[in-house]
CSV table of all heavy atoms in Angstrom, one decimal:
chain,number,residue,atom,x,y,z
A,91,VAL,N,52.4,-45.5,124.2
A,91,VAL,CA,52.5,-46.9,123.7
A,91,VAL,C,53.9,-47.3,123.2
A,91,VAL,O,54.4,-46.3,122.5
A,91,VAL,CB,51.5,-47.2,122.6
A,91,VAL,CG1,51.6,-48.5,121.9
A,91,VAL,CG2,50.0,-46.9,123.0
A,92,ASN,N,54.5,-48.2,123.7
A,92,ASN,CA,55.8,-48.6,123.2
A,92,ASN,C,56.0,-50.0,122.8
A,92,ASN,O,55.0,-50.8,122.8
A,92,ASN,CB,56.9,-48.3,124.4
A,92,ASN,CG,56.5,-49.0,125.6
A,92,ASN,OD1,56.3,-50.2,125.6
A,92,ASN,ND2,56.5,-48.3,126.6
A,93,GLU,N,57.1,-50.4,122.3
A,93,GLU,CA,57.4,-51.7,121.8
A,93,GLU,C,57.0,-52.9,122.8
A,93,GLU,O,56.6,-53.9,122.4
A,93,GLU,CB,58.8,-51.9,121.3
A,93,GLU,CG,59.2,-51.0,120.1
A,93,GLU,CD,60.6,-51.1,119.9
A,93,GLU,OE1,61.4,-52.0,120.4
A,93,GLU,OE2,61.2,-50.2,119.1
A,94,SER,N,57.2,-52.6,124.0
A,94,SER,CA,57.0,-53.7,125.1
A,94,SER,C,55.5,-53.9,125.2
A,94,SER,O,55.1,-55.0,125.7
A,94,SER,CB,57.6,-53.3,126.4
A,94,SER,OG,57.0,-52.1,126.9
A,95,ASP,N,54.6,-53.1,124.6
A,95,ASP,CA,53.2,-53.3,124.7
A,95,ASP,C,52.7,-54.2,123.6
A,95,ASP,O,51.5,-54.7,123.6
A,95,ASP,CB,52.4,-52.0,124.6
A,95,ASP,CG,52.7,-51.1,125.9
A,95,ASP,OD1,52.7,-51.6,127.0
A,95,ASP,OD2,52.9,-49.9,125.7
A,96,ASN,N,53.5,-54.5,122.7
A,96,ASN,CA,53.1,-55.4,121.5
A,96,ASN,C,52.8,-56.7,122.0
A,96,ASN,O,53.7,-57.4,122.7
A,96,ASN,CB,54.2,-55.4,120.4
A,96,ASN,CG,53.9,-56.2,119.2
A,96,ASN,OD1,52.7,-55.9,118.8
A,96,ASN,ND2,54.7,-57.0,118.8
A,97,GLY,N,51.7,-57.3,121.6
A,97,GLY,CA,51.3,-58.6,122.0
A,97,GLY,C,50.8,-58.7,123.4
A,97,GLY,O,50.5,-60.0,123.8
A,98,VAL,N,50.7,-57.7,124.1
A,98,VAL,CA,50.1,-57.8,125.5
A,98,VAL,C,48.6,-57.8,125.5
A,98,VAL,O,48.0,-57.0,124.7
A,98,VAL,CB,50.7,-56.6,126.3
A,98,VAL,CG1,50.0,-56.5,127.7
A,98,VAL,CG2,52.2,-56.5,126.4
A,99,THR,N,48.0,-58.6,126.4
A,99,THR,CA,46.6,-58.8,126.5
A,99,THR,C,46.1,-58.1,127.7
A,99,THR,O,46.5,-58.2,128.8
A,99,THR,CB,46.1,-60.2,126.5
A,99,THR,OG1,46.5,-60.9,125.3
A,99,THR,CG2,44.7,-60.3,126.7
A,100,PHE,N,45.1,-57.1,127.5
A,100,PHE,CA,44.5,-56.5,128.6
A,100,PHE,C,43.0,-57.1,128.6
A,100,PHE,O,42.3,-57.2,127.7
A,100,PHE,CB,44.3,-54.9,128.3
A,100,PHE,CG,45.6,-54.2,128.4
A,100,PHE,CD1,46.5,-54.2,127.3
A,100,PHE,CD2,46.1,-53.6,129.6
A,100,PHE,CE1,47.7,-53.6,127.4
A,100,PHE,CE2,47.2,-52.9,129.6
A,100,PHE,CZ,48.2,-52.9,128.5
A,101,SER,N,42.7,-57.4,130.0
A,101,SER,CA,41.3,-58.0,130.2
A,101,SER,C,40.6,-57.3,131.2
A,101,SER,O,41.0,-56.9,132.2
A,101,SER,CB,41.6,-59.4,130.7
A,101,SER,OG,42.4,-60.2,129.8
A,102,CYS,N,39.3,-57.1,130.9
A,102,CYS,CA,38.3,-56.6,131.8
A,102,CYS,C,37.5,-57.8,132.4
A,102,CYS,O,36.8,-58.4,131.6
A,102,CYS,CB,37.4,-55.4,131.1
A,102,CYS,SG,36.2,-54.8,132.2
Side-chain angles (χ1 to χ4, degrees):
V91 175
N92 55 51
E93 295 175 12
S94 64
D95 294 316
N96 184 45
V98 175
T99 298
F100 291 83
S101 302
C102 178

